[in-house]
Amino acid sequence: MKLIALGLLAACSAAAAELPAIPPAARLAATCAACHGTAGQTQGSTLPALAGQPQQALSASLLALKTGKRGSTIMNQIAKGYTDEQIEQLAAYFAAQKKPEAAK
């Protein structure tokens, strides 16, 4: 029984080693998907798409939300949970994403 368990463990470890690593910024950005869409590609026009926006603009917006200089009902609370380094990672991640295509 131990040999079977060790064999399964080795097989799972080998399979996991073949999976690409998920960058930390992509993990952080996953929390934004519920409102801003996968990879920041918002569907519709209710919320701004984050994908493809300039990194500096995204970073400035998040920092303004974090410090309360920019008002919001929800984002102020969310932004307060990020460190300045995480905000820079998020801004870089979303800036590198492809802009969503305009609705036809």
Side-chain angles (χ1 to χ4, degrees):
M1 198 63 162
K2 284 185 179 181
L3 288 176
I4 293 172
L6 288 174
L8 288 173
L9 180 61
C12 289
S13 295
E18 293 176 16
L19 294 175
I22 298 173
R27 278 190 236 121
L28 286 172
T31 62
C32 307
C35 298
H36 292 280
T38 303
Q41 297 188 358
T42 308
Q43 300 298 311
S45 61
T46 305
L47 294 171
L50 302 177
Q53 286 194 33
Q55 181 176 346
Q56 188 175 8
L58 289 166
S59 179
S61 290
L62 283 169
L63 288 170
L65 288 161
K66 180 179 178 177
T67 60
K69 291 180 182 175
R70 179 177 170 188
S72 173
T73 54
I74 295 172
M75 278 305 302
N76 294 94
Q77 296 304 313
I78 293 171
K80 287 178 185 177
Y82 293 118
T83 66
D84 290 353
E85 181 182 352
Q86 289 172 323
I87 285 174
E88 292 301 323
Q89 290 174 344
L90 282 167
Y93 174 82
F94 285 121
Q97 302 309 302
K98 183 180 174 188
K99 284 186 179 187
E101 291 186 28
K104 295 178 182 178

